[in-house]
């Protein structure tokens, strides 16, 4: 019920606006914090799901009105629920919301501090609706944050892969989503899992695949492989670890297979089981059916480097075109423990220093991808910037003396690429409609613009010259999208 998807204090806001208000116009942004920030740009994603799931169609009924009336009478212990206002929505619009939302196309890469979407009422009788749905819409912080962090992983992986192999082949599969069991809910898994799939095609979070299928028109957005977990290995007993490993090769003779190998001693497992007792079985496998060994404990960089050295001793290696070492094509490693943005960069840097290509390693990420983040990760905010009273428009804003970074934008907003090719927000209603990057996606209860995951992935592609995280457009001499002709990794 829409009435349950709000903060309690919004229930009474219709009583608090000035007399004769006919329009309330608000916007959402990821504020730019002064003094630098880890993320200088964001990936816009997830609005289409929220609109389809919660706001489109006939969302108000008489039954819901009565239910909300009783609930909020009990909760506030006084009559504050706007029964008359909601019944007008039901009678005049058949329960559809007279709201217009304009937004950045999903998947677009936008510098922090810019407007991402705007919300306004389309009927003067329902000015109070604009900020009534704030709570629902501010939950956009989560898919935006996941998609942004996932893309930061991709930048790091692309940098090292390009430097050590001369190619970006396989980049889309370099980061596997391990986060399903570490998130707070099924919906978080679905929304966060889908956000990761904007950038990669590798996941074990089935909920994200289903969301991409149902809400973004993608039949199968990501892929996985048979993979052992500790229960399927230790259930054989310590003395039969070799049999457990061999069974994995028997059960999955074709296609890649991942085997967790640290149940007891990862180094002995690699040297004496994989590299000796099962060596011939491993060598028999092909590039398309490679064995992927998974360490899952210890210091990620130190453990992985020791493992790859042991595998080199047992199976040998070759040099690629860049002069970096590569294990035989039937053998790879996936590191899924202790992975975050810093550790991936550190691991790949140390591997490179030891002469190893990033081709040898895949990564799996769980909580750092889907859960260790919050609304302040990207400083997401929803603020009113314009109202109309007695038929006259007025730009409004907040400007806290105690925190200038929380100052808000003023007036009607648009987003444009300026003459210097920088993306910027135009305030006070002076923007030109033909330059506005914001698109009407929702109006009067209907979704009027949809995006497929394929379109979103194209919008989110990396640029060929992405070597390090970009700066905000006011600090960087180049636009974030200046070199579209150098788009890399067109596998999507």
């Amino acid at each position: 019920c829409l009435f349950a998807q709000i903060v309690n204090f919004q229930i009474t806001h219709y009583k608090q606006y000035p007399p004769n208000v006919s329009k309330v116009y608000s916007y959402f942004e990821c504020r730019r914090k002064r003094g630098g920030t880890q993320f200088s740009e964001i990936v816009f994603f997830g609005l289409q799901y929220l609109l389809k799931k919660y706001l489109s169609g006939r969302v108000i009924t008489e039954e819901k009105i009565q239910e909300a009336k009783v609930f909020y009478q009990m909760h506030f212990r006084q009559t504050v629920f706007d029964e008359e206002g909601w019944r007008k929505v039901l009678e005049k619009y058949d329960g559809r919301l007279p709201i217009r939302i304009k937004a950045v196309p999903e998947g677009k890469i936008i510098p922090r501090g810019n407007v991402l979407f705007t919300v306004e009422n389309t009927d003067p009788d329902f000015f109070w609706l604009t900020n009534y749905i704030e709570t629902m819409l501010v939950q956009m912080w989560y898919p935006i944050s996941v998609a942004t962090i996932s893309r930061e992983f991709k930048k790091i992986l692309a940098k090292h892969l390009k430097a050590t192999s001369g190619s970006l082949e396989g980049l889309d599969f370099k980061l596997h989503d391990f986060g399903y069991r570490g998130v707070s809910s099924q919906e978080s898994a679905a929304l966060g899992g889908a956000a990761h799939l904007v950038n990669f095609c590798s996941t074990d979070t089935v909920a994200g695949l289903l969301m991409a299928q149902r809400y973004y028109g993608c039949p199968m957005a990501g892929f996985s492989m048979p993979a052992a977990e500790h229960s399927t290995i230790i259930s054989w007993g310590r003395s039969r670890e070799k049999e457990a490993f061999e069974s994995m090769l028997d059960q999955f003779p074709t296609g890649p297979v991942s085997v967790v190998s640290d149940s007891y001693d990862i180094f002995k497992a690699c040297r004496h089981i994989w590299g000796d007792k099962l060596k011939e079985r491993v060598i028999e496998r092909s590039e398309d059916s490679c064995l992927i060994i998974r360490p899952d404990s210890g210091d990620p960089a130190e453990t992985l480097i020791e493992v790859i050295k042991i595998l080199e001793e047992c199976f040998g290696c070759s040099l690629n075109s860049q002069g970096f070492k590569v294990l035989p094509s039937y053998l790879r490693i996936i590191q899924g423990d202790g992975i975050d943005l810093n550790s991936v960069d550190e691991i790949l840097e140390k591997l490179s220093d030891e002469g190893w290509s990033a081709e040898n390693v895949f990564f799996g990420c769980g909580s750092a991808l889907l859960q260790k983040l919050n609304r302040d990760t990207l400083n997401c905010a929803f603020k009113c910037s314009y109202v109309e009273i007695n038929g006259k428009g007025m730009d409004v804003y907040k400007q806290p003396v105690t925190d200038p970074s929380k100052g808000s934008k003023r007036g009607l907003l648009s987003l444009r690429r300026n003459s210097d090719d920088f993306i910027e927000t135009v305030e006070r209603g002076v923007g030109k409609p033909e330059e506005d990057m914001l698109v009407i996606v929702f109006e009067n209860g209907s979704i009027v613009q949809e995006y497929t995951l394929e379109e979103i992935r194209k919008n989110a592609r990396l640029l060929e010259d992405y070597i390090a995280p970009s700066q905000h457009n006011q600090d960087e001499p180049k636009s974030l999208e200046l070199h579209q002709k150098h788009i890399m990794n067109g596998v999507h």
Side-chain angles (χ1 to χ4, degrees):
C1 177
L2 179 65
F3 300 120
Q5 295 152 1
I6 59 171
V7 174
N8 282 335
F9 70 83
Q10 290 167 336
I11 287 291
T12 67
H13 284 178
Y14 73 101
K15 291 176 172 284
Q16 300 176 28
Y17 287 101
N20 301 316
V21 173
S22 58
K23 180 178 283 291
V24 173
Y25 174 101
S26 297
Y27 73 96
F28 177 93
E29 70 172 322
C30 296
R31 288 172 175 148
R32 184 192 178 200
K33 283 289 188 179
R34 298 297 178 186
T37 180
Q38 183 179 11
F39 306 107
S40 58
E41 60 187 13
I42 65 93
V43 182
F44 186 72
F45 176 75
L47 182 61
Q48 183 166 298
Y49 162 72
L50 291 176
L51 296 180
K52 283 188 173 185
K53 178 73 172 179
Y54 296 109
L55 297 184
S56 66
R58 191 172 187 260
V59 295
I60 305 302
T61 65
E62 182 60 36
E63 181 182 9
K64 290 180 180 179
I65 292 173
Q66 292 304 318
E67 180 183 356
K69 176 183 176 181
V70 172
F71 179 89
Y72 286 111
Q73 178 69 41
M74 293 170 61
H75 182 64
F76 282 94
R77 292 179 291 184
Q78 59 177 301
T79 302
V80 295
F81 179 67
D82 187 14
E83 181 179 3
E84 180 183 356
W86 285 108
R87 186 160 290 107
K88 281 184 179 180
V89 175
L90 177 61
E91 293 171 351
K92 193 170 182 179
Y93 291 97
D94 192 33
R96 295 171 175 267
L97 300 180
I99 288 290
R100 178 183 300 116
I101 299 175
K102 296 179 68 177
V104 169
E106 298 215 15
K108 280 290 187 182
I109 311 305
I110 305 297
R112 288 273 290 275
N114 283 296
V115 58
L116 297 174
F117 64 82
T118 63
V119 185
E120 61 187 302
N121 57 296
T122 58
D123 184 321
D125 287 341
F126 304 107
F127 61 89
W128 46 270
L129 262 179
T130 299
N131 274 51
Y132 194 95
I133 58 175
E134 172 193 359
T135 299
M136 165 64 61
L137 294 175
V138 170
Q139 289 178 353
M140 277 291 294
W141 74 262
Y142 179 66
I144 289 174
S145 297
V146 175
T148 298
I149 290 171
S150 174
R151 191 168 184 270
E152 292 297 320
F153 272 109
K154 196 169 189 177
K155 291 180 189 178
I156 294 170
L157 289 161
K159 176 183 68 174
H160 289 283
L161 190 59
K162 184 77 171 179
T164 61
S165 75
S167 167
L168 292 170
E169 184 178 355
L171 176 60
D172 287 353
F173 294 89
K174 280 294 181 182
L175 185 69
H176 198 78
D177 178 1
F178 280 178
Y180 203 158
R181 64 185 177 182
V183 293
S184 59
S185 68
Q186 288 289 341
E187 187 175 35
S188 295
L191 200 45
H196 172 66
L197 292 168
V198 170
N199 304 293
F200 291 92
C201 296
S202 190
T203 185
D204 275 343
T205 303
V206 174
L209 296 171
L210 293 174
M211 177 168 287
Q213 185 181 87
R214 294 170 183 171
Y215 293 93
Y216 289 93
C218 185
M220 184 48 62
F223 305 93
S224 190
M225 69 190 74
E229 72 164 17
H230 289 106
S231 74
T232 68
I233 299 300
I234 64 175
S235 60
W236 290 74
R238 182 165 190 155
S239 64
R240 300 179 68 203
E241 188 177 29
K242 179 255 186 184
E243 285 81 356
F245 291 173
E246 189 169 23
S247 175
M248 289 294 294
L249 302 182
D250 291 338
Q251 293 294 328
F252 308 102
T254 60
V257 60
S258 170
V259 184
V260 64
S261 303
D262 76 323
S263 297
Y264 309 109
D265 188 328
I266 181 67
F267 308 120
K268 287 183 179 180
C270 290
R271 187 182 301 279
H272 299 299
I273 301 179
W274 293 123
D276 184 10
K277 296 175 183 178
L278 296 178
K279 182 174 180 178
E280 295 305 316
R281 294 294 309 275
V282 174
I283 293 174
E284 289 172 0
R285 299 184 75 89
S286 65
E287 179 179 356
D288 293 333
S289 301
C290 67
L291 167 67
I292 303 176
I293 294 173
R294 177 161 72 95
D296 195 50
S297 53
D299 180 89
E302 292 179 4
T303 301
L304 196 150
I305 288 173
E306 183 63 24
V307 165
I308 203 169
K309 287 180 177 178
I310 292 171
L311 295 177
E312 178 190 16
E313 293 175 15
C314 297
F315 295 95
C317 68
S318 59
L319 296 181
N320 64 19
S321 62
Q322 303 300 110
F324 286 88
K325 294 189 286 187
V326 184
L327 290 170
S329 60
Y330 52 76
L331 188 60
R332 292 291 182 264
I333 304 169
I334 184 167
Q335 177 65 40
D337 180 60
I339 294 304
D340 57 26
L341 290 170
N342 292 329
S343 65
V344 166
D345 199 28
E346 177 190 357
I347 290 168
L348 292 174
E349 195 70 50
K350 289 184 176 181
L351 281 174
S352 174
D353 290 343
E354 296 282 340
W356 288 99
S357 171
E359 296 168 85
N360 296 285
V361 186
F362 298 91
F363 294 94
C365 190
S367 295
L369 178 65
L370 300 188
Q371 188 68 22
K372 291 182 179 178
L373 58 163
N374 55 50
R375 187 165 70 93
D376 290 331
T377 300
L378 295 176
N379 304 109
C380 297
F382 185 100
K383 297 299 172 188
C384 178
S385 62
Y386 175 84
V387 297
E388 290 181 3
I389 302 175
N390 293 318
K392 184 178 180 180
M394 179 171 64
D395 297 345
V396 297
Y397 60 94
K398 59 176 287 189
Q399 195 174 48
V401 67
T402 53
D403 188 351
S405 71
K406 286 192 173 184
S408 63
K409 293 175 170 45
R410 308 182 184 195
L412 300 174
L413 308 176
S414 63
L415 188 70
R416 72 171 185 177
R417 189 180 297 282
N418 66 22
S419 57
D420 294 320
D421 213 26
F422 298 152
I423 294 174
E424 65 180 8
T425 298
V426 181
E427 303 183 29
R428 303 176 187 268
V430 299
K432 298 177 181 178
E434 65 272 18
E435 295 180 342
D436 195 2
M437 297 171 63
L438 301 179
V439 177
I440 297 176
V441 295
F442 182 89
E443 191 163 70
N444 296 337
S446 298
I447 294 173
V448 297
Q449 174 67 55
E450 292 191 36
Y451 302 94
T452 65
L453 185 62
E454 181 181 3
E455 293 170 326
I456 294 167
R457 283 171 160 173
K458 287 179 180 178
N459 287 338
R461 285 179 296 187
L462 296 182
L463 304 181
E464 183 66 60
D465 53 355
Y466 260 121
I467 300 301
S470 299
Q471 302 299 308
H472 188 275
N473 58 3
Q474 293 181 9
D475 301 326
E476 178 69 17
K478 295 182 180 179
S479 166
L480 294 172
E481 299 179 7
L482 186 59
H483 301 300
Q484 284 289 355
K485 64 180 180 180
H486 293 307
I487 284 178
M488 69 180 183
N489 188 28
V491 177
H492 293 326

